Amino acid sequence: MPMIHKFSLFDKFMVLDVNSGAVHVLDEVAWEVLNYFTSCSRDKIIDILKKKYDVEDITQAYLELKTLQQKELLFSPDYYDDMDLHHNGIIKALCLHVAHDCNLRCKYCFASTGSFQGRRLVMDCETGKGAIDFLISHSGNRRQLEVDFFGGEPLLNKDIIKQLVDYGNERAAQSNKDIRFTLTTNALLLDDDFLSFINDKMYNLVLSIDGTRQTNDRMRYQADGRGTYDLILPKIKKAVEMREDKSFYVRGTFTRYNLNFSEDVLHLADLGFKNISVEPVVADKNKDYAIREEDLPTIFKEYETLAQEYVKRYKIGNPFNFFHFNIDLTQGPCVIKRVMGCGAGTEYVAVTPEGDIYPCHQFVGIEDFCIGNVKEGIENRKTVEEFRKCNVLKKEECKKCWAKFYCSGGCHASAYYSSNDIHSTYKIGCEMEKKRIECAMWIKASLSE
Amino acid sequence: MKHIKTLNSSNLKTSLSKGGCGECQVSCQSACKTSCTVANQNCERSK
């Protein structure tokens, strides 16, 4: 059914037409007319609003809304209900856990400080090669494949990473494919030699730091309790400097301990890091650092502060890119991608040091979610089928949500951890996501002036 | 228009027939390993 989302933020009245994806900025008259547009005739609307606004303005605003409706850019029909989502068993992306061990003991680590509820272990070369063979043999006609070296801390297994990149490139070339490699690291073991290798071979680099020294060191510390900020900052600076125009992100996590996380994001921006992602912690709700529903108003204010600063800095020629405000209103992903979502358990899987396959990195270590092994292939088809069926058009909560084509149903793991069901939603996460989308749209409107 | 400014006139519906090639990046492979924001991924075809 047709659906719009009306919201005002700072100086702007905005409307998203959900099914078309069109975004409009309205003046006050049009905003008021829209309140009555579907329930009243034009004459009735004039009657209601004529004491407040000029009749000519009311009429014109009404006609403009009508034009948008006729162009299917407002109250547009829902074309997507019976969409054919052709899951064909193709896997195109691997999260490769080359080390289930870590040199840090971060308090909020969902991977049990690296071990993922299992033994501390690093991946051997044979298993890594098996994972790449598995990826290529399951990638069907996809040309663009992805491998993210992840952990634990992947740099505890540097030699294997180098060998697997060479092997992956060789195998991809033989198959007329291309593998984009990403490394996600806490930066502690970065050295000049490995930085050169990263720059040559990695499509993307994700460097973990949470923000200010106080924020970072409260959660990200070594086995002896010492913080990491002073150790990692010079390494991250050097890595970013060397990346030049190549893709990278500095990436942090905010928790209930630093609900003023806009200060952390801006601290990272002030350090000269232009690509920043700081996102809410995934945590058991009983942890004292877990985000609670009562924190949402504070978090919304923080996103608003960030959005204002984003625009301000952009306009004075000192921009930064905040991952969750990225939104391409004209050439973003197709609606099929938006419905299918993150691809966990379907086109994206995680592989452990033992070669076991899980739907994504967040499910690693939960035995019921193990779906196979790189040697034997996918065996737990029942679980895979559950993930295939899990999309934004199937989730009852999502069907009626205006943000469904932006978050695409959200993270399956967050849903599972909050309610034991991948087909549900993580409500606190939903509210934060909706606020980020509104801020992103407001930024677009502000920068279009 | 005097009262309304449209920021984007493209329509998601058109991507229904043209999209679905599956070449675009999986969202958790970008920067974000915990919270899914699919709509901020790039379309490989528009590059």
Side-chain angles (χ1 to χ4, degrees):
Chain A
M1 60 187 272
M3 192 191 298
I4 64 165
H5 174 58
K6 245 175 126 234
F7 66 98
S8 63
L9 190 55
F10 305 122
D11 55 335
K12 300 213 165 16
F13 301 111
M14 302 192 62
V15 180
L16 162 70
D17 181 54
V18 174
N19 292 324
S20 69
V23 180
H24 313 285
V25 185
L26 280 61
D27 69 5
E28 194 184 322
V29 187
W31 175 258
E32 289 256 25
V33 171
L34 185 57
N35 283 336
Y36 305 101
F37 187 73
T38 52
S39 55
C40 301
S41 67
R42 179 167 65 175
D43 289 345
K44 178 77 178 165
I45 296 172
I46 290 171
D47 203 37
I48 296 168
L49 297 176
K50 67 184 175 193
K51 280 187 186 158
K52 207 169 165 188
Y53 305 105
D54 190 85
V55 170
E56 196 180 322
D57 280 336
I58 301 169
T59 307
Q60 194 168 6
Y62 180 88
L63 292 173
E64 288 179 14
L65 291 169
K66 205 76 187 164
T67 302
L68 292 176
Q69 187 180 25
Q70 282 159 357
K71 287 183 175 174
E72 296 194 354
L73 295 174
L74 193 66
F75 299 109
S76 62
D78 183 349
Y79 299 97
Y80 317 117
D81 239 4
D82 55 353
M83 250 172 78
D84 176 28
L85 294 174
H86 38 277
H87 283 293
N88 40 21
I90 286 176
I91 293 171
K92 62 154 297 188
L94 282 189
C95 184
L96 204 53
H97 292 227
V98 289
H100 272 188
D101 198 357
C102 191
N103 43 2
L104 299 188
R105 294 293 178 267
C106 303
K107 189 167 181 175
Y108 49 46
C109 184
F110 66 88
S112 308
T113 66
S115 67
F116 284 86
Q117 295 83 40
R119 288 179 296 149
R120 294 191 179 273
L121 194 68
V122 293
M123 182 177 277
D124 63 30
C125 197
E126 191 193 334
T127 306
K129 286 181 175 177
I132 286 175
D133 291 341
F134 170 85
L135 173 66
I136 288 179
S137 66
H138 285 75
S139 61
N141 61 357
R142 297 288 184 277
R143 228 195 133 254
Q144 202 64 67
L145 311 183
E146 299 154 39
V147 172
D148 182 14
F149 292 105
F150 199 63
E153 171 49 43
L155 295 192
L156 289 173
N157 206 0
K158 280 180 183 170
D159 289 345
I160 293 295
I161 293 175
K162 285 185 172 178
Q163 290 176 51
L164 293 180
V165 166
D166 286 343
Y167 182 74
N169 283 333
E170 188 185 316
R171 290 283 287 112
Q174 288 163 0
S175 315
N176 192 30
K177 293 175 190 282
D178 179 40
I179 300 179
R180 287 177 179 167
F181 293 99
T182 294
L183 173 73
T184 301
T185 176
N186 64 31
L188 212 58
L189 294 176
L190 283 175
D191 56 32
D192 287 353
D193 173 58
F194 208 76
L195 276 173
S196 298
F197 166 77
I198 289 169
N199 263 2
D200 284 347
K201 309 282 187 176
M202 296 285 172
Y203 174 76
N204 190 21
L205 174 64
V206 181
L207 301 148
S208 299
I209 179 170
D210 281 353
T212 63
R213 180 185 288 105
Q214 187 188 8
T215 297
N216 185 82
D217 287 357
R218 185 165 188 181
M219 298 306 271
R220 302 184 66 78
Y221 41 79
Q222 302 169 80
D224 61 8
R226 284 182 300 150
T228 55
Y229 182 90
D230 290 330
L231 295 170
I232 60 174
L233 188 58
K235 291 171 186 273
I236 292 178
K237 278 185 172 174
K238 183 155 195 186
V240 168
E241 198 182 301
M242 286 176 72
R243 287 303 275 174
E244 295 182 344
D245 57 346
K246 291 179 179 167
S247 179
F248 77 90
Y249 269 95
V250 292
R251 186 212 169 280
T253 298
F254 73 85
T255 72
R256 194 156 201 274
Y257 293 162
N258 65 316
L259 290 176
N260 59 341
F261 62 91
S262 69
E263 289 177 21
D264 293 295
V265 175
L266 296 175
H267 174 73
L268 295 172
D270 289 339
L271 287 169
F273 304 137
K274 296 296 181 192
N275 297 313
I276 303 165
S277 178
V278 172
E279 49 195 288
V281 68
V282 174
D284 184 312
K285 63 183 176 191
N286 297 316
K287 298 286 186 189
D288 62 353
Y289 53 80
I291 307 287
R292 300 179 197 166
E293 200 168 346
E294 71 220 50
D295 300 328
L296 287 174
T298 307
I299 291 170
F300 293 168
K301 281 278 174 217
E302 288 295 298
Y303 281 128
E304 288 179 6
T305 301
L306 267 185
Q308 284 180 304
E309 197 65 25
Y310 185 106
V311 169
K312 187 176 138 198
R313 292 189 183 205
Y314 185 93
K315 286 186 173 174
I316 61 169
N318 183 28
F320 67 96
N321 165 24
F322 184 61
F323 179 74
H324 285 103
F325 287 164
N326 286 352
I327 195 163
D328 184 346
L329 296 177
T330 53
Q331 291 184 319
C334 62
V335 71
I336 297 163
K337 169 87 169 180
R338 290 170 192 250
V339 168
M340 290 171 83
C342 70
T346 55
E347 61 175 8
Y348 168 62
V349 295
V351 176
T352 68
E354 297 95 333
D356 290 335
I357 303 171
Y358 288 83
C360 83
H361 54 287
Q362 297 267 3
F363 289 102
V364 166
I366 310 174
E367 206 173 317
D368 287 350
F369 283 98
C370 182
I371 56 176
N373 188 281
V374 293
K375 284 183 186 156
E376 289 85 29
I378 301 291
E379 292 180 318
N380 181 353
R381 298 204 173 273
K382 190 174 163 227
T383 298
V384 171
E385 198 49 41
E386 283 302 306
F387 278 85
R388 284 183 181 177
K389 284 192 293 191
C390 190
N391 69 62
V392 75
L393 297 182
K394 302 285 181 201
K395 290 187 174 187
E396 285 306 317
E397 286 292 320
C398 299
K399 278 187 200 172
K400 55 193 180 202
C401 176
W402 64 264
K404 60 185 169 185
F405 295 133
Y406 295 85
C407 76
S408 306
C411 168
H412 301 322
S414 295
Y416 176 76
Y417 287 119
S418 69
S419 55
N420 234 18
D421 180 8
I422 64 166
H423 301 283
S424 73
T425 54
Y426 167 49
K427 290 180 181 54
I428 294 174
C430 292
E431 294 309 312
M432 290 189 282
E433 172 71 10
K434 285 191 273 191
K435 187 66 190 181
R436 293 193 294 257
I437 297 167
E438 288 184 348
C439 287
M441 288 178 179
W442 176 83
I443 287 169
K444 284 285 178 199
S446 299
L447 296 182
S448 73
E449 288 167 346
Chain B
M1 287 187 178
K2 184 183 164 195
H3 298 280
I4 303 172
K5 180 179 175 182
T6 297
L7 296 181
N8 59 330
S9 52
S10 56
N11 192 327
L12 268 184
K13 182 182 74 170
T14 56
S15 72
L16 192 57
S17 53
K18 292 179 187 164
C21 71
E23 293 288 354
C24 54
Q25 182 171 250
V26 167
S27 52
C28 265
Q29 297 285 61
S30 42
C32 149
K33 279 281 184 188
T34 52
S35 62
C36 184
T37 314
V38 174
N40 63 7
Q41 300 303 310
N42 293 317
C43 172
E44 283 289 324
R45 285 184 174 175
S46 67
K47 281 185 178 174

